[in-house]
Amino acid sequence: MSQVSLFDTPSSKTPTPSLVDPKIEESWRNALRSEFQKPYFGALKNFVSKEVKSGKKIYPAPKEIFRAFDLCPLDQVKVVILGQDPYHGSHQAHGLCFSVNREVPIPPSLQNIYKEIHDDLGLPIPSHGNLEAWARQGVLLLNAVLTVRAGQPTSHSGKGWEYFTDAVMKKISDEREGIVFLLWGNFAKSKRSLIDERKHFILTAAHPSPLSAYSGFMGCKHFSQTNDILKKQGKEPINWSI
């Protein structure tokens, strides 16, 4: 594998820059351009490129690493759900936290999310785990780390993605108003300081993992609460049915 498609290739007629921008939706590209010029992002880009070029299997596929951004431009964000690490199993991850491709079984955490939506809103439990319909309505499904080596959870943690996604959270907080942030589990809750609570809404709960879902996630009613908050602002509520 000779190239990594998530990054633009500079023209051979121009001096090679220290870093090139990722292939990401235009509003995010403009908002985050300064991040792409920072040393950590250059090191991150080189790390991911070397992983792919050395033949290691990386999830999600390079063209889907920024899928959450492509489906949910900055000016359309209404809700942010923060995950930690992409799924590391075959064909699972496709760039949206908690979401999986249609052809694979629904992971346990997402099963619990569906159960809570059913209990909260009375909606039927879906037969697949693809959450793109949420993203297209303004739900940014953001993982803190955007890539992972196959079969090795957290293998790309500490390589620079966390700096980037912290900057994303801060950019949303600074440039938007009235966003609902759903922070599930201790890791997500640790990002609370990035959010201006005078301008935004934060709902916290336990992680939906089977290890913790019944210690504060089940019964949280975050989905109805989110829609109530959106409606009070005159925004279209999220159709949580997929």
Side-chain angles (χ1 to χ4, degrees), residues 150 167 218 222:
M218 305 307 294
H222 278 186

Side-chain angles (χ1 to χ4, degrees), residues 12 30 64 66 113 135 137 162 177 194 214-215 226 229 239:
S12 59
N30 292 334
E64 295 182 320
F66 297 103
I113 291 171
Q137 296 177 76
E162 295 91 341
E177 291 188 10
L194 300 169
Y214 288 92
S215 299
T226 294
I229 291 169
N239 178 3

Side-chain angles (χ1 to χ4, degrees), residues 17-80:
S18 60
L19 180 64
V20 291
D21 290 352
K23 291 184 176 179
I24 192 171
E25 188 273 333
E26 184 176 5
S27 68
W28 288 110
R29 178 191 293 264
N30 292 334
L32 298 168
R33 192 172 298 278
S34 64
E35 292 301 310
F36 306 145
Q37 307 306 318
K38 293 180 179 179
Y40 85 82
F41 200 87
L44 171 62
K45 176 239 179 180
N46 290 334
F47 168 75
V48 176
S49 297
K50 287 178 182 178
E51 288 275 278
V52 175
K53 290 178 181 178
S54 69
K56 294 182 174 66
K57 186 68 174 178
I58 302 301
Y59 297 130
K63 66 180 180 181
E64 295 182 320
I65 290 173
F66 297 103
R67 183 70 170 156
F69 302 91
D70 295 337
L71 293 178
C72 189
L74 177 58
D75 65 351
Q76 296 180 26
V77 176
K78 295 190 286 189
V79 180
V80 176

Side-chain angles (χ1 to χ4, degrees), residues 197-217:
E197 298 188 43
R198 297 167 298 179
K199 297 169 56 183
H200 304 287
F201 304 87
I202 300 176
L203 302 179
T204 64
H207 194 278
S209 162
L211 298 176
S212 56
Y214 288 92
S215 299
F217 178 78

Side-chain angles (χ1 to χ4, degrees), residues 1-240:
M1 193 173 298
S2 61
Q3 63 181 359
V4 182
S5 64
L6 71 157
F7 295 104
D8 291 337
T9 303
S11 169
S12 59
K13 296 180 180 179
T14 60
T16 301
S18 60
L19 180 64
V20 291
D21 290 352
K23 291 184 176 179
I24 192 171
E25 188 273 333
E26 184 176 5
S27 68
W28 288 110
R29 178 191 293 264
N30 292 334
L32 298 168
R33 192 172 298 278
S34 64
E35 292 301 310
F36 306 145
Q37 307 306 318
K38 293 180 179 179
Y40 85 82
F41 200 87
L44 171 62
K45 176 239 179 180
N46 290 334
F47 168 75
V48 176
S49 297
K50 287 178 182 178
E51 288 275 278
V52 175
K53 290 178 181 178
S54 69
K56 294 182 174 66
K57 186 68 174 178
I58 302 301
Y59 297 130
K63 66 180 180 181
E64 295 182 320
I65 290 173
F66 297 103
R67 183 70 170 156
F69 302 91
D70 295 337
L71 293 178
C72 189
L74 177 58
D75 65 351
Q76 296 180 26
V77 176
K78 295 190 286 189
V79 180
V80 176
I81 298 178
L82 182 65
Q84 187 167 356
D85 201 41
Y87 295 118
H88 58 272
S90 179
H91 302 298
Q92 287 184 303
H94 65 129
L96 310 178
C97 75
F98 293 107
S99 181
V100 292
N101 284 300
R102 285 177 176 263
E103 66 271 17
V104 300
I106 301 171
S109 291
L110 184 53
Q111 290 180 24
N112 285 332
I113 291 171
Y114 284 167
K115 289 176 184 176
E116 176 57 23
I117 291 173
H118 173 73
D119 292 345
D120 186 10
L121 296 171
L123 296 174
I125 293 177
S127 60
H128 65 86
N130 187 307
L131 303 180
E132 289 184 1
W134 293 1
R136 295 183 191 280
Q137 296 177 76
V139 182
L140 182 66
L141 295 161
L142 178 67
N143 272 318
V145 176
L146 300 188
T147 56
V148 69
R149 196 179 299 161
Q152 298 183 40
T154 72
S155 52
H156 285 190
S157 297
K159 304 299 183 181
W161 281 126
E162 295 91 341
Y163 293 120
F164 177 71
T165 53
D166 279 1
V168 170
M169 295 276 285
K170 188 71 165 52
K171 181 65 67 172
I172 295 170
S173 177
D174 290 347
E175 296 198 2
R176 299 294 312 284
E177 291 188 10
I179 306 301
V180 183
F181 290 85
L182 303 183
L183 306 182
W184 301 331
N186 290 334
F187 175 82
K189 292 175 187 176
S190 73
K191 304 297 184 178
R192 185 169 192 153
S193 62
L194 300 169
I195 305 162
D196 186 345
E197 298 188 43
R198 297 167 298 179
K199 297 169 56 183
H200 304 287
F201 304 87
I202 300 176
L203 302 179
T204 64
H207 194 278
S209 162
L211 298 176
S212 56
Y214 288 92
S215 299
F217 178 78
M218 305 307 294
C220 69
K221 299 189 180 299
H222 278 186
F223 304 96
S224 60
Q225 289 185 56
T226 294
N227 279 351
D228 287 344
I229 291 169
L230 294 176
K231 286 186 286 188
K232 286 178 181 177
Q233 298 181 76
K235 298 178 182 178
E236 188 73 21
I238 304 300
N239 178 3
W240 297 107

